[in-house]
Amino acid sequence: MDVSILDQTQLIEGESSEREFSNTVALAQYLDELGYTRYWLSEHHSTDALAGSAPEVLASYLLSKTANIRVGTGGVMLTHYSSYKVAEMFNVMSALAPGRVDLGVGRAPGGHHLSNIALQSGVIAKRNVDQFPQKLNEIAHYFKNTVPEGSVVKGLQTTPKVMEPAELWLLGSSNDSAKLAAEQGLPYVFAHFINYETGAMEEAITLYREQFQPSAILSEPKVIVAIKTIMADTNEHAQTLAKSALHAQFYLHRGVLSRLIAPDKALSEVQTDKEWAEIEMIKDTYVIGDKATVTQQLKSLKFELAIDEVMTLSPIYDFEARKNSLKLLKEVTNTL
């Protein structure tokens, strides 16, 4: 099973953005050596907890610092941007690093209403939501250097022309996104870390496969599942490392997007039985454990859903522990 990473450039309590980006470069190089398939960067705005407000810039930089791993976005929030500008940016990246660029696009805003307004020059974001399928279709055409029939920009060229455009992926966490990816013949990433409702992943992926229409981009369905994994040499250590992420998600449920704090400080304010029950529910949305434990969980995912590639988010406070977690995950996927 192929394994990839989605890096949200999550900031650590007390650390600078400069330090986190330095760690991102080091991690990309490390995973390149380990043989990871992709290194994707997310897009978030107007938050002190996540540094990745311009994933296409960071992706371009990482391409220059790595040799083999595919690098891209997970994703560009297309609602905010011109599809033509996005296509040209990724053509530049593809010319700089042929055959190694991915363009994952999403419909979510990647922020709150103020950042949406600012990104769209004062236009209320809601007005542009229904343009997403059209913009997605436009990017596919621009990558082929064609323009949809009847377009007002007939004769437009997408430059620079490249031998191999970026690989276009649709990101989503619902049946609607699955249907859209199937309709446009695109590879699909299901964000299980966002929608972990029982049966939601299975239903969306089944819909995608059943309704998939071959396209010039893709002849058969192609699926990645994005999950949160935290591994260590023992189950006990993995459970300890997970406290930082569980703490962050506990407060996210209360509308607070916070930096990762040290495991020994995490969850100190959780007191009631109801709150601890919530922590256990959050924990069930993660894959946490040693190699034997995680192997069993990923086997179920691979064989029940016929998944060929898994993408991990690994929100771990200590950088060396995070590297070790990702090394162990690669060792597990090598056996599947």
Side-chain angles (χ1 to χ4, degrees), residues 200-216:
M201 174 173 61
E202 293 81 358
E203 184 177 351
I205 291 174
T206 298
L207 274 172
Y208 168 70
R209 288 202 170 106
E210 288 178 348
Q211 299 186 17
F212 181 83
Q213 300 177 27
S215 68

Side-chain angles (χ1 to χ4, degrees), residues 23-327:
N23 283 343
T24 293
V25 174
L27 188 62
Q29 292 171 330
Y30 179 67
L31 298 186
D32 191 15
E33 293 174 0
L34 285 182
Y36 267 62
T37 302
R38 308 171 202 277
Y39 198 110
W40 282 8
L41 297 313
S42 64
E43 177 179 345
H44 294 91
H45 301 281
S46 190
T47 173
D48 183 54
L50 305 169
S53 57
E56 65 285 349
V57 175
L58 185 52
S60 184
Y61 188 77
L62 292 185
L63 284 165
S64 71
K65 298 294 182 178
T66 54
N68 300 300
I69 195 168
R70 297 187 69 91
V71 180
T73 55
V76 166
M77 298 297 101
L78 191 54
T79 299
H80 301 310
Y81 310 118
S82 153
S83 52
Y84 180 61
K85 178 61 175 176
V86 171
E88 290 208 314
M89 283 194 300
F90 278 79
N91 271 12
V92 170
M93 291 164 62
S94 295
L96 291 168
R100 292 181 53 214
V101 181
D102 290 339
L103 168 56
V105 295
R107 190 171 190 163
H112 50 61
H113 69 286
L114 294 179
S115 57
N116 296 349
I117 292 171
L119 284 163
Q120 297 179 35
S121 302
V123 177
I124 301 301
K126 188 178 291 186
R127 295 179 185 172
N128 285 336
V129 168
D130 289 337
Q131 295 180 14
F132 180 77
Q134 176 187 335
K135 287 186 171 185
L136 187 62
N137 184 53
E138 287 172 350
I139 285 184
H141 278 279
Y142 291 145
F143 277 167
K144 293 183 292 183
N145 225 326
T146 61
V147 174
E149 203 64 39
S151 172
V152 296
V153 291
K154 186 175 181 181
L156 178 72
Q157 292 189 59
T158 307
T159 55
K161 295 180 180 179
V162 295
M163 294 182 290
E164 187 174 345
E167 197 169 275
L168 179 60
W169 289 78
L170 175 58
L171 285 56
S173 57
S174 68
N175 289 349
D176 287 343
S177 61
K179 291 176 182 177
L180 181 58
E183 176 188 318
Q184 297 205 13
L186 296 175
Y188 180 54
V189 183
F190 183 85
H192 179 265
F193 68 95
I194 293 175
N195 183 1
Y196 37 78
E197 182 180 343
T198 302
M201 174 173 61
E202 293 81 358
E203 184 177 351
I205 291 174
T206 298
L207 274 172
Y208 168 70
R209 288 202 170 106
E210 288 178 348
Q211 299 186 17
F212 181 83
Q213 300 177 27
S215 68
I217 292 175
L218 195 64
S219 59
E220 296 180 349
K222 189 175 182 180
V223 180
I224 295 176
V225 170
I227 58 175
K228 289 184 176 178
T229 67
I230 296 177
M231 295 186 65
D233 295 321
T234 67
N235 281 320
E236 293 74 20
H237 191 199
Q239 293 291 339
T240 298
L241 294 176
K243 289 180 179 179
S244 301
L246 298 176
H247 177 97
Q249 194 151 345
F250 177 78
Y251 281 97
L252 181 61
H253 288 176
R254 285 148 183 79
V256 179
L257 187 56
S258 59
R259 293 186 175 209
L260 285 180
I261 66 173
D264 59 357
K265 294 170 58 179
L267 306 178
S268 60
E269 297 174 8
V270 179
Q271 296 180 350
T272 69
D273 290 344
K274 183 178 180 181
E275 288 174 336
W276 281 113
E278 182 182 347
I279 294 297
E280 290 302 313
M281 289 178 63
I282 294 171
K283 190 184 294 185
D284 286 343
T285 68
Y286 285 68
V287 176
I288 303 171
D290 61 11
K291 287 173 67 173
T293 300
V294 172
T295 296
Q296 193 58 42
Q297 294 187 60
L298 291 189
K299 271 185 179 177
S300 298
L301 185 67
K302 178 178 175 64
F303 295 110
E304 289 175 16
L305 293 176
I307 298 300
D308 294 315
E309 183 172 343
V310 65
M311 180 170 283
T312 181
L313 290 83
S314 297
I316 297 173
Y317 176 82
D318 180 77
F319 184 60
E320 291 303 319
R322 187 182 185 199
K323 287 171 64 178
N324 185 55
S325 175
L326 294 166
K327 177 178 75 71

